[in-house]
Amino acid sequence: MERLSGRVALVTGGSRGIGAAVAKRLAAEGASVAINYAGRADAAAEVVAAIEAAGGTAAAFQADVSEAAACAALVDDVVSRFGRIDVLVNNAGITRDGLLVRMSDHDWRAVIDTNLSGAFYLSRAVGKLMMKQRSGSIVNMASVVGMMGNAGQANYAAAKAGLIGLTKSVARELAGRGVRANAVAPGFIATDMTGALSETAREAATSSIAMGRLGTPEDIAATVAFLASDDAAYITGQVIAVDGGMTFA
Ligand code: NAP
């Protein structure tokens, strides 16, 4: 089923983990995909090659989303290459974990700048284009931590909670112009980000998941593709947890 045929998608942090799976899934559904990365040009090139080998269209774009000017240039570059942007997936993210009383200003700012401000800079630039087009879908990669909080992740939880507020505000502002904005809140997903955790931490996390397993990047990509597509035409301002039953009330 090619739900995204003729559409152009920009996926930030598309070189690895969840973003790579999202890029591949959107391409498989017919979208031309702009894959943004920060430093891992090799990983981004691999994702582009995999998409092209499967008959899809993709190109890699380096940009540090924590910088406003880099985000503006990224949007210009993608539009020069593909002509428009129909889907924006704000997925790039980092962790700099530490207990509150020991957290440095640097680690606080790094996480807020990348995980929250990056999504703002790109939503602002792409939102302008989408308003003119009178169509578009923005999907922000939040986290269940943005709803629950997490010891050792004050910076990350604040950024993800902020992303949820940003999503809802953008949804309200742009709905009248045919532009939707939603957030996906993954639970515990097997990627490089969670790969660094100890076996004990991993077992503790798994025991809190009703379905008894970690999620895969593909589990998240399926929900992003749905929200990006017209199947979600009447859905905006929502946060969808994809967490194997980790957080439901
Ligand atoms: P990951 O495997 O560590 O990959 C992070 C991606 O973000 C990479 O493509 C990286 O690019 C890119 N990136 C990092 N800083 C960037 C910057 N300043 N500018 C542009 N790109 C940047 O992470 P992941 O686990 O797939 O996580 C993806 C998203 O899902 C994040 O927002 C994360 O917070 C969220 N999430 C993950 C989980 C989980 O359990 N894994 C749970 C909830 C939410 P390079 O390859 O160039 O470094």
Side-chain angles (χ1 to χ4, degrees), residues 12-20 36-44 61-67 90-96 110 113-115 141-145 156 160 163 184-195 215 217 220:
T12 68
S15 45
R16 288 184 287 127
I18 292 171
N36 156 255
Y37 65 97
R40 293 281 304 273
D42 55 333
F61 297 82
Q62 193 284 330
D64 178 347
V65 300
S66 70
E67 293 178 15
N90 284 310
N91 165 81
I94 57 169
T95 50
R96 295 286 182 273
D113 290 353
T114 302
N115 299 14
M141 202 59 68
S143 167
V144 294
V145 165
Y156 185 82
K160 294 302 187 182
L163 206 45
V184 175
F188 199 135
I189 312 302
T191 67
D192 292 348
M193 185 177 273
T194 48
I220 306 304

Side-chain angles (χ1 to χ4, degrees), residues 122-138:
L122 285 167
S123 299
R124 181 173 61 184
V126 175
K128 204 181 269 181
L129 300 176
M130 289 177 166
M131 283 169 76
K132 280 193 199 133
Q133 288 168 193
R134 296 206 157 253
S135 70
S137 173
I138 298 173

Side-chain angles (χ1 to χ4, degrees), residues 131-221:
M131 283 169 76
K132 280 193 199 133
Q133 288 168 193
R134 296 206 157 253
S135 70
S137 173
I138 298 173
V139 182
N140 293 323
M141 202 59 68
S143 167
V144 294
V145 165
M147 300 187 274
M148 303 164 70
N150 196 21
Q153 289 198 307
N155 49 1
Y156 185 82
K160 294 302 187 182
L163 206 45
I164 290 170
L166 174 69
T167 303
K168 293 180 180 181
S169 301
V170 170
R172 287 188 189 279
E173 274 191 40
L174 304 191
R177 305 293 189 100
V179 181
R180 299 181 294 104
N182 292 285
V184 175
F188 199 135
I189 312 302
T191 67
D192 292 348
M193 185 177 273
T194 48
L197 292 176
S198 69
E199 197 49 43
T200 323
R202 184 177 293 265
E203 275 167 23
T206 308
S207 69
S208 70
I209 302 170
M211 291 179 73
R213 69 165 175 91
L214 266 55
T216 65
E218 290 73 24
D219 288 326
I220 306 304

Side-chain angles (χ1 to χ4, degrees), residues 59-81:
F61 297 82
Q62 193 284 330
D64 178 347
V65 300
S66 70
E67 293 178 15
C71 289
L74 171 63
V75 171
D76 287 348
D77 289 349
V78 174
V79 172
S80 301
R81 176 76 166 73

Side-chain angles (χ1 to χ4, degrees), residues 29-57:
E29 301 225 21
S32 297
V33 184
I35 293 162
N36 156 255
Y37 65 97
R40 293 281 304 273
D42 55 333
E46 268 177 39
V47 180
V48 171
I51 288 173
E52 288 177 344
T57 303

